[in-house]
Amino acid sequence: MAAIAGRACVTVVLLLCVLGGQALDLLMGTTTPGNSPSIPTVRCRCASYPNVTLCSWPEPPHHPPTHYVATYSERHSQSVTKHCHLIQPGSSSSDVISASSSSSDRLWHCHMPSLKLLTDYIINVTAVYSGSSSFHLSSFMLEDIVKPDPPVDVTVSPRDSKRLLVQWSPPPTWAHLDIFPLKYQIKYQRESRGIPRSYNLGPIESNWVVLKLKPGAYLFQVCAKELLNLGECSDWSSPVKITIPRTK
Ligand SMILES: *[C@@H]1O[C@H](CO)[C@@H](O)[C@H](O)[C@H]1NC(C)=O
Ligand SMILES: *[C@@H]1O[C@H](CO)[C@@H](O)[C@H](O)[C@H]1NC(C)=O
């Protein structure tokens, strides 16, 4: 790392670790002490193991760089670097950007099509400004950054007078369900005398569950996780509301 810093007369800004299924930030810096251009904050995610990996970072609103250079390499052979396929903010043409990445930030994405399994990678995102640049190096292993999109088509319907049937479909962006099955967690909330209480169920492997619940108003959400626990559960699906009436 000293060698890296020396070569580019770099101001090293920080070294920080984000543990627990996230890409690991290794090194960030700029080539201009004083007038510091903003350093991209890079987040990586695999929304369809093993083939759809995106690293994303927000475009700074006030002083956007002139361009970005994003390269990646295997950690143990860093001399062999590949260029990411860069996707500009707001470009709708790409089908690799998964549904849940639609935040309000204007995000750049870099798509890495075929990464090796169980291999450490280093990605270098460099923002180039007129006269300066700043970079962000992070390291990740595909297995740690798996996070599916949320399940879709969540429905809740009465099964009979006392029971509810909750059903959903797997995220359509998860392309290899036959090889890499998913499991699901269900969260439901019930408001009882004005106080919401939350309950969790699962993980379960089926796409449905039947629940016997007290009368009341409920909100249901489902998340999807890779069956063998790679990475983390998806974001929660949007809530579905149902009321179980009191029986006379
Ligand atoms: C992932 O992509 C590579 C290259 O595009 C392809 O050869 C491979 O079959 C894909 N893997 C799966 C599981 O689809
Ligand atoms: C990151 O990439 C930029 C642009 O390709 C390059 O100039 C720089 O040396 C790289 N930084 C490191 C630490 O590899």
Side-chain angles (χ1 to χ4, degrees):
M1 226 171 273
I4 294 167
R7 194 170 71 214
C9 75
V10 163
T11 334
V12 173
V13 174
L14 62 139
L15 255 173
L16 79 111
C17 295
V18 185
L19 294 175
Q22 285 288 337
L24 190 66
D25 295 331
L26 291 181
L27 182 65
M28 296 176 241
T30 82
T31 53
T32 46
N35 150 41
S36 55
S38 56
I39 293 165
T41 306
V42 180
R43 293 281 165 263
C44 300
R45 178 161 91 95
C46 172
S48 179
Y49 188 75
N51 268 8
V52 183
T53 306
L54 289 178
C55 291
S56 312
W57 59 94
E59 172 142 275
H62 300 301
H63 300 289
T66 60
H67 66 278
Y68 288 100
V69 182
T71 55
Y72 62 102
S73 59
E74 287 176 39
R75 191 166 190 164
H76 296 294
S77 53
Q78 288 182 45
S79 50
V80 187
T81 59
K82 290 183 184 172
H83 279 263
C84 281
H85 172 52
L86 279 176
I87 302 163
Q88 293 195 10
S91 87
S92 54
S93 57
S94 175
D95 52 6
V96 297
I97 301 172
S98 57
S100 67
S101 65
S102 60
S103 83
S104 55
D105 280 332
R106 287 173 52 77
L107 290 179
W108 281 82
H109 302 281
C110 125
H111 178 218
M112 289 158 283
S114 39
L115 297 179
K116 293 185 191 163
L117 308 189
L118 298 168
T119 303
D120 271 319
Y121 281 92
I122 291 187
I123 176 169
N124 169 357
V125 177
T126 300
V128 181
Y129 298 84
S130 52
S132 68
S133 65
S134 67
F135 67 89
H136 183 134
L137 286 190
S138 14
S139 152
F140 65 87
M141 195 190 265
L142 201 46
E143 286 69 22
D144 293 333
I145 57 164
V146 172
K147 185 180 177 187
D149 284 326
V152 296
D153 301 331
V154 182
T155 61
V156 187
S157 50
R159 179 72 183 267
D160 52 41
S161 63
K162 292 204 177 67
R163 295 184 302 165
L164 289 178
L165 172 64
V166 186
Q167 289 176 289
W168 56 89
S169 300
T173 47
W174 188 265
H176 303 289
L177 197 58
D178 47 343
I179 316 172
F180 301 105
L182 295 171
K183 60 185 175 183
Y184 303 93
Q185 272 167 262
I186 299 104
K187 177 168 87 174
Y188 62 96
Q189 280 175 291
R190 173 172 190 263
E191 205 155 284
S192 167
R193 296 186 198 91
I195 302 156
R197 291 194 58 185
S198 192
Y199 305 85
N200 283 286
L201 281 178
I204 59 170
E205 289 174 45
S206 60
N207 286 22
W208 57 271
V209 65
V210 171
L211 298 172
K212 192 173 170 188
L213 297 173
K214 290 189 229 169
Y218 291 89
L219 287 179
F220 282 90
Q221 290 172 289
V222 188
C223 76
K225 192 173 186 192
E226 197 278 330
L227 183 65
L228 301 179
N229 266 337
L230 295 182
E232 54 183 308
C233 217
S234 68
D235 288 339
W236 291 106
S237 60
S238 20
V240 174
K241 192 169 182 176
I242 192 163
T243 300
I244 307 179
R246 265 176 208 293
T247 43
K248 288 142 264 172

